[in-house]
Amino acid sequence: MTGSRTAGLRSAATASGARVTRELTVETSFDDGVTWRPAPVRDGAVTVLHPAADGYVALRAKAVDAGGGTVEQTVIRAYRIVAGA
């Protein structure tokens, strides 16, 4: 892995009664979701370590709120990696 990208993922209670996120996990894939590896999450920001080659990043995030409710979102080819860029 040679490069990285950090993105903030924020969650907060809203007027609609949504609960604050208690746990957030993120996984990455560089083969269109065939295999997944965990990405570190710290203070609501995830850092994705990129391979040296061109390609695409898939992201899968799971959040758990204070009441135990969960949501999971997967995005295949979330963004493109251009080596040397």
Side-chain angles (χ1 to χ4, degrees):
M1 301 289 172
T2 61
S4 68
R5 175 172 289 177
T6 301
L9 301 172
R10 301 283 180 227
S11 176
T14 64
S16 67
R19 296 186 172 125
V20 175
T21 301
R22 183 183 71 204
E23 180 182 343
L24 174 64
T25 58
V26 178
E27 296 174 285
T28 60
S29 173
F30 303 100
D31 56 12
D32 288 335
V34 175
T35 59
W36 294 92
R37 65 180 64 170
V41 177
R42 184 174 176 179
D43 297 327
V46 60
T47 300
V48 178
L49 300 176
H50 297 151
D54 289 350
Y56 292 90
V57 178
L59 299 170
R60 179 165 58 194
K62 181 177 180 181
V64 181
D65 71 19
T70 64
V71 62
E72 186 172 318
Q73 178 72 50
T74 301
V75 180
I76 303 297
R77 294 192 173 203
Y79 62 91
R80 184 176 177 202
I81 300 167
V82 178

